[in-house]
Amino acid sequence: MVRVAELVAPGIAAIQPYQPGKPIEELERELGPSLPAGGVIKLASNENPLGPSPRARAVLLGAVADVHRYPDGSAFALRRALADARPGVRYEELVVGNGSNEILDLLVRTFCRPGDEVIAPAQTFACYQLSAQAHGVDYREVARGSDFVYDLDALGHAVGPKTRMVFLANPDNPTGAYASREAVERLMARLPEQVIFAVDEAYCDYAVAPDYPDTLTLHRLHPLTVTLRTFSKIYGLAGLRCGWAVAPAEMVAYLDRVRNPFNVNSLAQVAAIAALGDQDHLQRSRRLNAEGMVQLRAGLERLGVSYLPSQCNFLLVDVAPREGRRVFDVLLGRGVIVRPVASYRLPHHLRVTIGTADENHRFLDALTAALA
Ligand SMILES: Cc1ncc(COP(=O)(O)O)c(C=O)c1O
């Protein structure tokens, strides 16, 4: 009898599956009759608590009538809209994907060979390592400074003859840390020309630090730079799965050979175009996040709980000496889903998405009880 375990590629056998945030419906099922009065709230996946942009909602209703048609495989209108929204970015330099996750995976699949190496800061977004492992590519972590700050000089020094790609989440998930313009420019200037620099800016719309860089303006410093963005976070379209990236046109042409022909569905394409033009929703989302950040920080400080500075829509909260998983379980019992991060070697932390004022309040109440 053939053992499936003998058929699977060694890199894949070693993969620990990605642990997504716990779905609301799952906790509702588990809590059953003991569901708290306010129901379940989810502050686990860095989603926009305001929901999708009203403009996106409106176009989605109309687009449903056409779902018997295949989507536009070239995503012409969406790529055109993105190019128009970003002066200096050409249509040919744009690739869209089933979430930015698909694009980062495509980058590894398309440009890395077995024996090549991908490097990234330690304890960063898990999917870079997952993609490398899945495609038989070595993955190496580079140490950070104290308190999880980025050390891009160390990242630059770590580049070796096998390095094909450098991933940088800016700002970072799960720490919320960011790299300054100056540090990014220095890294880009020193990268060997054959190394791909993939900058994942999933949370860029929340970053408020004055020296936070928009790498779309910096590609000239290192031609093999790819900037990845997503509609899943501030645009509130996580469920539709749509991300985009800007890369040299020649790279985009190779990614086009590898990606699935209809990787971005038709509803996602129209909703993304509408959301892109909804400045009102963007501004309200930014404001809500800034206010929620103040509320959560004040609440945590009252409780004597420390957290890392964050440029994102979440905080990494330190519940030591308690196990993050234990606190997570108590919060679940109160209908509050946050994210344990032990898989990032952070057994005493929890990642908490900034929600509406009511949601933040419920989290702080539940945390108070959990720490008592
Ligand atoms: C840093 C980072 N990059 C990329 C993603 C993937 O986003 P999506 O595939 O929904 O575009 C996430 C999602 O949490 C993230 O935190």
Side-chain angles (χ1 to χ4, degrees):
M1 175 92 164
V2 174
R3 289 186 58 232
V4 174
E6 285 164 14
L7 304 180
V8 75
I12 289 178
I15 287 179
Q16 296 295 327
Y18 180 76
Q19 291 289 331
K22 192 177 181 72
I24 290 178
E25 298 74 18
E26 190 178 300
L27 184 59
E28 283 173 347
R29 271 196 312 275
E30 289 168 5
L31 289 176
S34 43
L35 192 70
V40 169
I41 62 163
K42 183 178 175 217
L43 301 174
S45 301
N46 308 334
E47 296 147 344
N48 186 335
L50 290 180
S53 101
R55 289 204 201 178
R57 283 182 203 225
V59 295
L60 279 169
L61 294 177
V64 166
D66 289 325
V67 294
H68 59 301
R69 305 274 179 215
Y70 280 96
D72 173 357
S74 69
F76 175 83
L78 174 54
R79 288 165 70 206
R80 201 58 273 155
L82 287 165
D84 290 345
R86 288 298 315 209
V89 171
R90 290 187 297 125
Y91 174 86
E92 299 75 25
E93 296 170 327
L94 280 156
V95 59
V96 292
N98 195 251
S100 53
N101 229 319
E102 186 198 19
I103 305 176
L104 67 89
D105 189 64
L106 274 176
L107 283 170
V108 176
R109 264 174 81 192
T110 310
F111 294 106
C112 298
R113 285 168 272 197
D116 285 348
E117 173 190 78
V118 166
I119 66 170
Q123 293 166 290
T124 190
F125 186 50
C127 290
Y128 313 141
Q129 177 164 11
L130 288 176
S131 289
Q133 277 182 290
H135 301 301
V137 175
D138 292 340
Y139 182 81
R140 189 154 54 92
E141 293 191 334
V142 180
R144 309 162 82 118
S146 59
D147 280 338
F148 305 100
V149 297
Y150 273 145
D151 182 347
L152 295 204
D153 290 329
L155 195 59
H157 278 120
V159 171
K162 285 177 23 174
T163 310
R164 169 71 45 232
M165 201 173 305
V166 176
F167 273 109
L168 178 69
N170 199 24
D172 184 36
N173 172 17
T175 65
Y178 80 105
S180 70
R181 168 180 273 269
E182 194 216 333
V184 171
E185 284 180 356
R186 214 168 45 240
L187 174 65
M188 290 175 84
R190 69 169 293 167
L191 283 178
E193 61 176 3
Q194 75 282 7
V195 171
I196 295 167
F197 182 40
V199 196
D200 178 351
E201 297 181 347
Y203 300 95
C204 62
D205 302 284
Y206 293 108
V208 291
D211 59 348
Y212 170 76
D214 169 356
T215 52
L216 286 176
T217 63
L218 301 178
H219 282 218
R220 71 195 137 67
L221 294 179
H222 179 73
L224 290 194
T225 296
V226 183
T227 300
L228 295 110
R229 300 278 179 95
T230 182
F231 285 98
S232 298
K233 305 301 175 187
I234 206 162
Y235 291 96
L237 301 179
L240 287 175
R241 314 301 304 125
C242 188
W244 55 284
V246 176
E250 207 184 342
M251 282 182 75
V252 171
Y254 284 113
L255 294 169
D256 266 341
R257 297 184 191 197
V258 178
R259 70 175 175 84
N260 284 333
F262 304 107
N263 58 335
V264 180
N265 71 72
S266 51
L267 298 182
Q269 292 188 31
V270 293
I273 295 170
L276 195 63
D278 195 344
Q279 286 303 319
D280 224 45
H281 184 255
L282 271 186
Q283 271 165 25
R284 280 192 300 127
S285 304
R286 264 196 211 106
R287 204 176 319 124
L288 185 77
N289 196 62
E291 290 163 4
M293 176 86 80
V294 170
Q295 181 190 3
L296 276 186
R297 287 166 56 159
L300 291 168
E301 280 159 26
R302 266 197 306 278
L303 287 172
V305 172
S306 61
Y307 55 85
L308 290 183
S310 169
Q311 293 295 319
C312 299
N313 64 340
F314 58 81
L315 284 174
L316 189 64
V317 177
D318 185 351
V319 293
R322 296 164 188 81
E323 293 284 319
R325 190 81 213 181
R326 288 264 166 91
V327 177
F328 167 74
D329 283 337
V330 178
L331 297 181
L332 286 185
R334 293 176 166 261
V336 177
I337 310 174
V338 297
R339 188 69 156 268
V341 281
S343 59
Y344 286 92
R345 301 193 304 281
L346 296 166
H348 300 290
H349 286 80
L350 291 171
R351 197 193 65 198
V352 183
T353 303
I354 296 170
T356 60
D358 283 350
E359 288 171 337
N360 300 333
H361 187 72
R362 266 197 65 194
F363 160 72
L364 288 168
D365 267 1
L367 184 66
T368 309
L371 300 181

